[in-house]
Amino acid sequence: MTLDEAGTAITPASGAAPTPAAGTTALPTSLRRVDEARARFGAFTEDYLAAMWRGDALADAFVADMGRIGHGRAMRMLRTACREGVDAVADAPDSLRDLFARLDDTPDWFDLPAIEAATRFTSRYSRASGIALGAASLVSGYANSAASRPLEMTGRYIENAGARTVEVGAWLKAVNDPGGLDRFGHGFELTVRVRIIHALVRASLAGREDWDEAAWGVPICQAYLAYTLVEFTLIPLRAMERIGAPYRPEERAAGYARWRYIGHLLGIEETLLPRDAAEQQRLEELYLLTRPEVDDYCRSLVASINREFLVPELEGVLPGFLHSRAPQVVHALERIFLGEEIADDLHIPRTRLVGAVRVAGPALSGVNRLLDRVPRLVALRAARGKEFEAYQEERLRREWGVGHDLVDDSPSGGRPHPARGDMPATPTAQ
């Protein structure tokens, strides 16, 4: 069984097999080096391991109600609740009201005006941030065969790496736009929809015979969901520093604060929700220590994003005579960002350009720190970065034929996806 946040047993999501309760000794069999993790991280390791068996009780309950309400109507209810408040939803089920009771309870520690004031000039590094996001953040997540398995089983990356990258970019832009995380902001809505997409995928996979729960735990479990905050904060901030685009201390602190709140909206439990850089680093180290072995699908994911997205994007930045070296530059960046062990596991080719990139990064950092001392230049560079972001989004949408924001709003056709409601129906939980 699974437990709700009060520790009460609840019925598994539709089709899901019973899972071990928090605190039991059962572990997903795909995990490695658990004894070492326990020795290094103590009680936090036990919280992390228990979270392998938990999804998101509030979101999962709403998804379970979709069998009765209907997918399309339920998603319309969700959008209305995001845009107008849950009281504006006619016949709102208790599960939706319970979800928004939590979402509407803004934590005392969240200070959006302060976050936005501290990050108003971060767009000065827009060109570098896209490369860091792809080559560091996304690829890092693909080094875990259990965490990336939902992508394999829903076909969301190998089928169309560019489209999914645009979807991720649309969400990131919305949560970083001024006012995006206001209660009725667009970033708030997209984040809540991402949460429900996770629950829809979880319910779909939990009912499939080919989901090996004993090996992998619950699909999109709390432990791996928490790690996504590392992918979008600690990892890109570190990567940006290494390629010569360092953010100021106040900008980094605001980044952690922003993603702490996004994690709250995504339903990450407080015991796993990192508050700052130190807690994200602890979570990253535990995740990397215990991660399941890389498999061929992980390698296919990396090859796909490199071939379809990162190499073409880098060709657009490099001078024409260097386009042929774009694959080697991508491989060098990934080796620097991921480290040799993970890069070797993912079969990322070795390249002599690693040394050149390592030397260039500190030199560029020095130049950019000098430029950051001139307020007028900072504002000008940020404005140009905003222009690049708008151009980049329009170009990528045009080239990849993407007119939607998230997969739940994508056109039907091609491989079915549970977020669109075009998967075979699963029974409502009893």
Side-chain angles (χ1 to χ4, degrees), residues 218-270:
V218 170
I220 314 181
C221 66
Q222 280 287 322
Y224 293 156
L225 183 60
Y227 182 71
T228 61
L229 300 194
V230 177
E231 293 178 307
F232 288 115
T233 321
L234 174 65
I235 291 175
L237 288 175
R238 185 172 60 208
M240 293 287 282
E241 180 85 23
R242 289 174 177 173
I243 60 176
Y247 291 110
R248 296 166 167 171
E250 66 272 19
E251 293 171 333
R252 294 196 297 271
Y256 288 107
R258 184 193 303 274
W259 279 94
R260 182 185 180 191
Y261 180 62
I262 292 171
H264 167 79
L265 296 181
L266 288 172
I268 299 172
E269 299 166 2
E270 285 296 322

Side-chain angles (χ1 to χ4, degrees), residues 140-189:
S140 171
Y142 303 152
N144 182 327
S145 57
S148 61
R149 192 72 58 177
L151 281 174
E152 176 183 10
M153 296 175 71
T154 58
R156 279 303 292 162
Y157 224 115
I158 297 300
E159 183 180 90
N160 195 337
R164 187 174 183 276
T165 303
V166 172
E167 292 165 1
V168 173
W171 174 45
L172 296 180
K173 182 179 184 302
V175 299
N176 283 285
D177 277 345
L181 286 177
D182 282 334
R183 168 56 185 87
F184 297 103
H186 188 49
F188 179 98
E189 177 185 329

Side-chain angles (χ1 to χ4, degrees), residues 15-34:
T19 58
T24 65
T25 57
L27 297 174
T29 57
S30 62
L31 296 180
R32 301 182 293 167
R33 300 175 289 213
V34 172

Side-chain angles (χ1 to χ4, degrees), residues 71-116:
H71 183 277
R73 183 181 175 214
M75 294 304 287
R76 289 191 293 273
M77 286 180 168
L78 182 74
R79 292 189 187 211
T80 298
C82 287
R83 297 171 185 178
E84 303 175 40
V86 72
D87 289 338
V89 179
D91 301 320
D94 288 344
S95 58
L96 187 66
R97 292 190 176 278
D98 291 344
L99 174 64
F100 274 85
R102 178 62 58 87
L103 291 169
D104 288 335
D105 185 16
T106 304
D108 293 339
W109 45 258
F110 179 57
D111 187 346
L112 183 58
I115 291 170
E116 292 187 341

Side-chain angles (χ1 to χ4, degrees), residues 264-285:
H264 167 79
L265 296 181
L266 288 172
I268 299 172
E269 299 166 2
E270 285 296 322
T271 55
L272 291 173
L273 185 61
R275 295 171 293 182
D276 53 26
E279 292 190 359
Q280 285 210 12
Q281 184 172 348
R282 178 183 63 171
L283 178 57
E284 179 190 38
E285 291 175 3

